[in-house]
């Protein structure tokens, strides 16, 4: 794996792990959880583009990234619906007037997990499940 690809993967994993942790507390950080799920998916897709030697577009529209990847990784087609769902959290929920609810945050985490699993497999990276800290 290329050094820059590994950096994309590291950043994508960090967003995913943060999204998981945001669900552990009692405060409902649904907007932030959805945002980090979208960011994780975006960075995993960009990692695949980097590994293929393709230019990395500056976009948050996940379906656009998918379109670039499908000729190389047709198996990603199954993520199309989830990527469309996650794209809405790239910008909107970061500003007043749009808010994510608990159900959306849970769905966003499921889709981000699927993207993570698929991309890590295509990159040959072992998927580690985020560990939950044990209560004292």
């Amino acid at each position: 794996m290329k050094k820059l690809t590994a950096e994309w993967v590291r950043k994508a994993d960090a967003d995913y792990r943060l999204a998981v942790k945001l669900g552990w507390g009692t405060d409902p950080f649904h907007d932030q959880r959805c945002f980090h799920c979208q960011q994780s998916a975006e960075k995993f897709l960009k990692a695949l583009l980097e590994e293929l030697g393709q230019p990395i577009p500056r976009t948050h529209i996940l379906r656009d990234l998918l379109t670039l990847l499908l000729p190389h990784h047709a198996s990603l087609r199954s993520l199309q619906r989830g990527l469309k769902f996650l794209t809405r959290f790239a910008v909107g929920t970061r500003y007043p007037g749009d808010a994510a609810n608990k159900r959306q945050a849970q769905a966003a985490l499921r889709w981000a997990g699927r993207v993570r699993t698929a991309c890590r497999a295509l990159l040959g990276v072992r998927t580690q499940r985020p560990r939950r800290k044990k209560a004292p």
Side-chain angles (χ1 to χ4, degrees), residues 18-94:
L18 181 57
V20 169
K21 287 181 181 182
L22 285 170
W24 291 351
T26 56
D27 291 329
F29 292 109
H30 305 314
D31 292 347
Q32 294 79 7
R33 192 176 201 195
C34 289
F35 171 72
H36 286 286
C37 287
Q38 185 282 337
Q39 285 291 289
S40 175
E42 179 181 326
K43 290 169 188 170
F44 272 118
L45 296 175
K46 289 179 176 181
L48 288 174
L49 288 169
E50 177 63 38
E51 192 65 11
L52 290 167
Q54 300 292 318
I56 311 296
R58 290 185 177 257
T59 183
H60 300 299
I61 302 170
L62 303 180
R63 288 177 73 184
D64 289 354
L65 299 173
L66 178 65
T67 298
L68 296 172
L69 288 165
L70 284 177
H72 308 279
H73 300 297
S75 63
L76 295 174
R77 186 174 306 279
S78 65
L79 300 173
Q80 189 168 355
R81 187 172 61 120
L83 294 175
K84 181 179 178 185
F85 173 74
L86 288 171
T87 294
R88 75 178 74 174
F89 304 117
V91 178
T93 54
R94 292 172 34 206

Side-chain angles (χ1 to χ4, degrees), residues 104-129:
Q104 289 173 317
Q106 291 169 335
L109 189 64
R110 280 192 304 274
W111 279 114
R114 290 175 188 159
V115 172
R116 178 179 185 256
T117 299
C119 291
R120 288 176 68 96
L122 290 169
L123 291 165
V125 178
R126 194 176 97 236
T127 299
Q128 298 172 342
R129 301 198 79 170

Side-chain angles (χ1 to χ4, degrees), residues 4-30:
L4 196 51
T5 303
E7 192 172 334
W8 279 109
V9 170
R10 183 182 60 75
K11 288 183 176 288
D13 271 331
D15 278 312
Y16 181 78
R17 288 191 316 272
L18 181 57
V20 169
K21 287 181 181 182
L22 285 170
W24 291 351
T26 56
D27 291 329
F29 292 109
H30 305 314

